[in-house]
Amino acid sequence: MHLKLNLAALTSTELERLLGMDASRGVMSELSAAKLVGKAFPYVFNPLEEVQALSTPEETLQWSQELQDLGFTCHPLQLDTGFFRHLHQVPFSSELMVVTASWTPQGNAHLEAFSVLKDPVAGINAVVTTSAPHVFPLEFSEVISYKQVALPTPHFLEGHQQHVKQFGRPLKQNHAEDPLMVLRLVRDLCARAWLRRGVLLDESAPQARRGP
């Protein structure tokens, strides 16, 4: 299933992160014309269909060992396109969070931590922490709190836990062996917020503009 975005609803920063500087400049005149008359500018994001032949980055192997030494359970490699990006991910789960060792097809690696909140405050329902800047093309909304925390791994995990405490308590996983539940909940929260914002469009693929 192709994900349709309304490029006319994105900020210039989001557009550049998603398409790259050259491609975003290439559609700028069409975008300006669409915004001028209040029209959407549909775009189909093409997810990765298979794992590309790319060796696992050395950092990811190190993080995997560190997380397992800290009691996290390792899960099979998956492809992530839920935030409109192309990533390979190895998820790790504990009772209160999911951590993914992620890397791009170009081999750039980073860590991400996800927690869904129980009885959230301040309108924040989930917390995401990353070790890399600008890793998410689209900005999160009032339902998600995002923060960057530096490595090493124990400091990263501590930073995520402190970030969570600002907004509530993390929801315990009933099935710690299934980290995809937490990732799915976070993505669903984002999708609902992006629908309200007009970033997501419900259009058939033939009507939408295909990305490069």
Side-chain angles (χ1 to χ4, degrees):
M1 178 180 178
H2 291 296
L3 300 173
K4 276 73 70 176
L5 298 175
N6 176 15
L7 297 189
L10 303 186
T11 66
S12 58
T13 299
E14 288 175 323
L15 189 67
E16 186 173 315
R17 289 177 187 170
L18 179 70
L19 301 181
M21 184 178 296
D22 292 339
S24 62
R25 288 176 177 173
V27 299
M28 196 59 68
S29 59
E30 295 177 86
L31 274 179
S32 298
K35 291 179 180 181
L36 189 63
V37 296
K39 287 186 177 181
F41 192 91
Y43 168 90
V44 173
F45 178 79
N46 295 311
L48 289 173
E49 295 181 354
E50 59 184 19
V51 178
Q52 300 180 15
L54 178 70
S55 59
T56 303
E58 184 176 342
E59 304 100 304
T60 302
L61 298 175
Q62 178 182 341
W63 296 332
S64 176
Q65 186 61 56
E66 290 175 348
L67 288 166
Q68 290 180 82
D69 289 345
L70 292 169
F72 282 76
T73 301
C74 182
H75 304 272
L77 172 71
Q78 65 169 342
L79 301 176
D80 170 50
T81 57
F83 299 112
F84 307 103
R85 57 194 183 161
H86 292 142
L87 281 184
H88 300 74
Q89 288 185 328
V90 178
F92 301 82
S93 64
S94 68
E95 187 179 43
L96 299 178
M97 76 175 80
V98 169
V99 178
T100 60
S102 306
W103 67 96
T104 67
Q106 294 74 36
N108 299 318
H110 63 279
L111 284 178
E112 293 175 6
F114 301 82
S115 291
V116 175
L117 301 184
K118 178 181 180 181
D119 303 322
V121 298
I124 300 298
N125 294 293
V127 170
V128 179
T129 305
T130 178
S131 66
H134 310 310
V135 69
F136 297 101
L138 303 191
E139 298 292 344
F140 287 153
S141 71
E142 72 280 359
V143 301
I144 302 289
S145 178
Y146 160 86
K147 186 176 183 180
Q148 180 186 346
V149 176
L151 297 171
T153 303
H155 295 169
F156 174 80
L157 297 175
E158 181 181 356
H160 177 72
Q161 291 171 332
Q162 293 299 321
H163 189 197
V164 170
K165 288 179 181 179
Q166 296 177 26
F167 302 101
R169 294 178 296 166
L171 185 67
K172 290 186 179 181
Q173 298 183 64
N174 294 325
H175 303 285
E177 71 278 3
D178 183 14
L180 300 184
M181 179 190 70
V182 169
L183 299 178
R184 191 179 304 115
L185 285 172
V186 173
R187 290 164 186 164
D188 287 347
L189 287 168
C190 286
R192 289 197 290 269
W194 290 332
L195 281 167
R196 292 195 301 269
R197 182 183 156 195
V199 169
L200 294 184
L201 294 174
D202 184 12
E203 291 190 351
S204 61
Q207 295 175 312
R209 178 187 179 91
R210 289 190 175 273

